[in-house]
Amino acid sequence: MKDKIINNIKTIRESKDYTEAYMAEKLGMTQGAYNRKENGDLEFNLTELVKMGEILDVSPSKFIDMDLARVIQQYNSDSASGNYQTTGNDEGYKAAIAAYEKETAFLRAQVEKLTDALAGRK
């Protein structure tokens, strides 16, 4: 999970053309410290994750969301084992995506609870 979060942070950061130096400055740390965190040598704390969500203009839950490629890979695996039945309009993909959306909603709710707790709202 840690590697997935770090990969998502880096992907979102790069998609916005933000440098590590820019992120470090916004987070109030050195670029070296930010680099060590983005490389997984040090861990981001919850406050930093929330702040990064603000900087990158995304919900912190995006850092932990599963990617659709994994869902499709799981679908293909399940389909091969007979867990999903496919039809002309491919109900199997719909079932796999529904499972993905359910898991994602659960993870988002967990992030919201953590964010509220951190902000002292509950």
Side-chain angles (χ1 to χ4, degrees), residues 7-26:
N7 186 52
N8 286 344
I9 289 169
K10 185 175 183 177
T11 299
I12 295 167
R13 175 183 62 77
E14 289 175 345
S15 76
K16 294 185 177 284
D17 292 324
Y18 292 168
T19 64
E20 288 184 357
Y22 174 81
M23 294 298 293
E25 178 185 335
K26 292 293 187 182

Side-chain angles (χ1 to χ4, degrees), residues 1 13 28 34 38 43 45 54 58-59 62 69 91 108:
M1 179 68 105
R13 175 183 62 77
Y34 183 87
E38 197 172 270
E43 292 187 12
N45 63 42
E54 294 170 5
V58 298
S59 168
K62 288 289 182 197
E91 293 299 319
R108 282 189 179 126

Side-chain angles (χ1 to χ4, degrees), residues 49-118:
L49 292 172
V50 170
K51 181 70 175 170
M52 280 192 294
E54 294 170 5
I55 296 165
L56 297 171
D57 195 30
V58 298
S59 168
S61 65
K62 288 289 182 197
F63 302 144
I64 60 173
D65 278 352
M66 302 177 314
D67 60 350
L68 190 54
R70 183 179 147 257
V71 172
I72 292 170
Q73 180 183 26
Q74 183 64 46
Y75 161 75
N76 289 334
S77 173
D78 288 347
S79 184
S81 65
N83 290 344
Y84 290 122
Q85 299 297 318
T86 58
T87 64
N89 62 5
D90 208 347
E91 293 299 319
Y93 270 117
K94 289 179 184 178
I97 289 172
Y100 159 77
E101 289 172 345
K102 182 178 178 182
E103 186 172 348
T104 300
F106 170 77
L107 292 172
R108 282 189 179 126
Q110 296 303 308
V111 168
E112 291 298 320
K113 286 180 184 177
L114 290 170
T115 301
D116 287 344
L118 182 65

Side-chain angles (χ1 to χ4, degrees), residues 40-51:
D41 299 329
L42 299 172
E43 292 187 12
F44 289 107
N45 63 42
L46 186 56
T47 303
E48 292 166 341
L49 292 172
V50 170
K51 181 70 175 170

